[in-house]
């Protein structure tokens, strides 16, 4: 089944809410208020992160972030002029999928908050969406009130985002705001394989120069601890969600078509009140713009710990080999890792 051909059975189970029939409305101030670590990482701390002894870089990263916390909160009471004259803390967590980068970033945000500082936490996409909703100057004003701005999944998708984020970070640093980011791509390699990076080399280098890069080695803990299992039959998905509080049921193709009508900044609101997501007719996504919207949705599902029931072909062949070799490959591999974990949680929850 292609990604834009709705399943004719879609909508029969009227008792179950459909995400594709939901049109969320989000006020700009909600976007700012929600710049906090997501529920999945609400309890993340340096103590709850368990470094793998086989990879010493994990323990080293924890210690470096503890020092970063002291640096950030130590300047909480300093004057604006003194903060401007002092280069604020800026750390960048680089590593593969599932090594705990987001956990550590959330732990840093929690530690700064607990020590009396204000910390904003959001994905790269959420910050660019914030600029779109508020405007650049209002975004700078809103984020300058924080001592620390955490940017998860820092990946540049186009030249416009490169210039936008470079300018935003430069102005925040000028206001004395500390920065922390995670990515699967080293700062000097951002944008590689997606556009003519050499045309924007100066912007990319300016980003890279601001960060102390912490390399975190290790295996994907989701792959270490989770068996993804086989996809469910579509009838089994329908049966599992029918009458279940907080459940939704959608044909995969219909949901993908609906995502094209909703701004990605509203994907979180789309999931308000959702406890489990049932998807029938899951199959390969053939268009890149559709695949990238799906990646954002998977990230919001993962943030909120929403189990997923996958019918059709499940994650098998979801993204093409060409996509998994292309410039967005890291996004797609992260989505597969996270979606597999959510599917395993869904299978356990309905067993």
């Amino acid at each position: 089944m292609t990604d834009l051909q709705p399943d004719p059975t879609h909508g029969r189970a009227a008792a179950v809410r459909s995400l594709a029939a939901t049109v969320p409305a989000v006020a700009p101030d909600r976007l700012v208020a929600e710049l906090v670590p997501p529920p999945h990482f609400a309890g993340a701390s340096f103590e709850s992160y368990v470094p793998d002894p086989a990879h010493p870089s994990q323990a080293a990263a924890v210690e470096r972030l503890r020092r970063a916390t002291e640096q950030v909160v130590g300047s909480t009471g300093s004057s604006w002029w003194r903060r401007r004259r002092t280069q604020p803390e800026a750390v960048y967590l680089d590593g593969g999928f599932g090594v705990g980068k987001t956990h550590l970033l959330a732990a840093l945000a929690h530690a700064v908050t607990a020590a009396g500082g204000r910390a904003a936490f959001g994905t790269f996409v959420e910050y660019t969406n914030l600029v779109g909703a508020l405007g650049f100057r209002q975004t700078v004003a809103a984020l300058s009130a924080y001592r620390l701005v955490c940017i998860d999944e820092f990946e540049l998708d186009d030249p416009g985002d490169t210039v936008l984020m470079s300018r935003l970070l430069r102005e925040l640093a000028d206001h004395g705001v500390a920065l922390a980011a995670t990515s699967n791509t080293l700062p000097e390699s951002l944008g590689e394989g997606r556009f003519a990076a050499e045309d924007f080399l100066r912007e990319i280098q300016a980003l890279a120069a601001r960060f102390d890069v912490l390399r975190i080695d290790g295996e994907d803990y989701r792959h270490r601890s989770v068996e993804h299992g086989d996809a469910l039959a579509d009838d089994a998905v329908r049966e599992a969600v029918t009458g279940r509080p907080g459940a939704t049921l959608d044909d995969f193709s219909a949901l993908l078509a609906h995502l094209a009508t909703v701004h990605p900044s509203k994907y979180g609101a789309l999931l308000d009140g959702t406890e489990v997501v049932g998807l029938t007719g899951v199959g390969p996504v053939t268009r890149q713009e559709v695949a990238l919207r799906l990646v954002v949705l998977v990230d919001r599902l993962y943030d909120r710990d929403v189990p997923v029931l996958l019918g059709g072909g499940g994650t098998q062949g979801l993204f093409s080999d060409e996509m998994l070799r292309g410039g967005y490959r890291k996004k797609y591999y992260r989505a597969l890792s996270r979606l597999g974990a959510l599917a395993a949680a869904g299978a356990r929850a309905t067993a």
Side-chain angles (χ1 to χ4, degrees), residues 64-259:
R64 175 64 180 86
L65 292 178
R66 288 184 187 276
R67 295 197 302 272
T69 302
E70 296 172 358
Q71 178 69 22
V72 172
V73 298
S75 59
T76 300
S78 61
S79 69
W80 171 84
W81 174 246
R82 182 177 178 183
R83 293 203 311 267
R84 270 187 76 105
R85 295 185 60 178
T86 304
Q87 183 71 19
E89 186 72 80
V91 293
Y92 189 101
L93 309 182
D94 174 71
F97 309 100
V99 297
K101 299 186 303 299
T102 301
H103 179 119
L104 289 173
L105 190 69
L108 175 63
H110 287 314
V112 168
T113 301
R118 294 187 66 195
F121 185 106
T123 64
F124 180 86
V125 171
E126 286 172 322
Y127 285 111
T128 56
N129 289 339
L130 184 64
V131 174
L134 298 183
F136 186 82
R137 283 297 158 199
Q138 283 186 271
T139 300
V140 172
L143 295 180
S144 294
Y146 293 87
R147 294 300 305 125
L148 170 70
V149 167
C150 298
I151 309 155
D152 199 21
E153 301 158 15
F154 201 129
E155 297 178 11
L156 301 181
D157 297 336
D158 59 50
D161 283 347
T162 306
V163 176
L164 174 67
M165 190 56 72
S166 178
R167 182 184 173 200
L168 179 63
L169 296 187
R170 182 168 60 248
E171 297 217 13
L172 290 177
D174 286 346
H175 282 81
V177 178
L179 306 170
T182 73
S183 183
N184 308 112
T185 306
L186 287 169
E188 62 268 21
S189 299
L190 288 171
E192 188 176 271
R194 295 174 210 169
F195 55 85
E198 62 274 11
D199 294 339
F200 297 88
L201 188 59
R202 181 169 56 188
E203 293 290 347
I204 294 170
Q205 288 177 332
L207 288 175
R210 293 186 179 276
F211 293 97
D212 177 15
V213 178
L214 310 181
R215 175 70 191 183
I216 304 177
D217 301 304
E219 301 176 21
D220 185 339
Y221 73 90
R222 290 183 289 266
H223 287 164
R224 292 198 307 265
S225 59
V226 173
E227 290 295 334
H228 295 172
D230 298 325
L232 302 172
D234 285 349
D235 285 344
V237 173
R238 296 186 187 96
E239 182 179 356
V241 300
T242 299
R244 190 181 184 92
T248 66
L249 176 63
D250 286 274
D251 166 61
F252 185 62
S253 300
L255 177 58
L256 292 181
H258 181 58
L259 291 181

